[in-house]
Amino acid sequence: MPPALPQLLTTVLTALTLGSTALAHSHLAYIIVNGKLYQGFDPRPHQANYPSRVGWSTGAVDDGFVTPANYSTPDIICHIAGTSPAGHAPVRPGDRIHVQWNGWPVGHIGPVLSYLARCESDTGCTGQNKTALRWTKIDDSSPTMQNVAGAGTQGEGTPGKRWATDVLIAANNSWQVAVPAGLPTGAYVLRNEIIALHYAARKNGAQNYPLCMNLWVDASGDNSSVAATTAAVTAGGLQMDAYDARGFYKENDPGVLVNVTAALSSYVVPGPTVAAGATPVPYAQQSPSVSTAAGTPVVVTRTSETAPYTGAMTPTVAARMKGRGYDRRG
Ligand SMILES: *[C@@H]1O[C@H](CO)[C@@H](O)[C@H](O)[C@H]1NC(C)=O
Ligand SMILES: *[C@@H]1O[C@H](CO)[C@@H](O)[C@H](O)[C@H]1NC(C)=O
Ligand SMILES: *[C@@H]1O[C@H](CO)[C@@H](O)[C@H](O)[C@H]1NC(C)=O
Ligand SMILES: *[C@@H]1O[C@H](CO)[C@@H](O)[C@H](O)[C@H]1NC(C)=O
Ligand SMILES: *[C@@H]1O[C@H](CO)[C@@H](O)[C@H](O)[C@H]1NC(C)=O
Ligand SMILES: [Cu+2]
């Protein structure tokens, strides 16, 4: 039986609302390392995706987010229904990974967070059981909120405040993450997350956008880049932690349930503290980046060996994942 007219109208209006909010959200488009571009995953229906990507697939078909009510569920780990691809971007300790977001709305102010977890299997992070990942925080975008004359007058920010997301937007919607010196060779998941706080004055109003990508860290051989970029890091490198992502945040954390339109004097970044030996990239060095070549991801064949990715390179239309992750708010 066809739906009654009022019901049909509601359906159409809902579809229109969802269509417009899709523009307001985002995902990780790609990363650039040493000029080479590695693909992320576009969750929106009908989008073409590369099988050779290094970005985890998600079921966030509205380009949306995870809410505080789901902080203790697997969705907070690598976004809704996050699943690891075969490819890993080859990097070296000391490299800077340029994480390119597919745009970022001016009013979606908040912190930009980065975490690393090691994959222990013989295939690296391919087929990784995400609940088994144990994380180390390597960047919390500190100072996250600064007093800067003239800042924050657009969108929902408070006049005179500059947020980490404003720095990200000024860098063409990108953020640089430094691979810590001293990180042992192996496969790792890098989790880059933005928490948008424009609705966070209400319970369950914060919006987490956690996006994951696979890395193969090669710490052997020539280490000149390490010396060049991590002079300040003492021998021994990164102090690895072992946090379960499902315990990172609580819905009443002062950095999660927070009114950003009130006159905040400080902001407490939620989650664990940044590990000793991590080297966050300062605001002044955040900048746009353009790739010079397509990177070839690697697949991990044994714990200490990699091979170039040889599967299909042509984009294919993403699997449709209906009915998950929709939220009518912007
Ligand atoms: C929690 O996640 C599930 C599965 O993605 C989703 O159906 C539900 O709407 C989410 N809850 C909230 C409050 O966002
Ligand atoms: C995934 O890892 C968790 C935590 O280590 C474990 O409890 C669970 O059994 C694992 N699931 C599978 C399918 O191996
Ligand atoms: C580079 O490698 C050499 C030999 O393994 C080691 O002695 C040196 O400390 C390393 N330099 C850095 C900056 O890691
Ligand atoms: C947030 O703070 C603003 C400015 O003080 C106030 O107008 C607004 O009502 C507050 N919102 C909530 C949900 O408390
Ligand atoms: C800005 O980002 C877009 C992707 O959103 C990219 O196509 C473009 O090359 C970037 N421009 C610069 C100057 O970095
Ligand atoms: Cu949004």
Side-chain angles (χ1 to χ4, degrees), residues 129 131-132 134:
N129 173 356
T131 62
R134 292 296 173 265

Side-chain angles (χ1 to χ4, degrees), residues 21 31 41 52 61 89 99 121 128 139-140 144 160 215 222 225 232 243 268 273 283 315:
T21 59
I31 62 173
F41 177 82
S52 59
V61 289
V99 179
S121 96
Q128 174 66 39
D139 185 5
D140 69 354
T144 300
L215 306 178
D222 177 14
S225 70
Y243 295 103
V268 185
T273 53
Y283 284 3

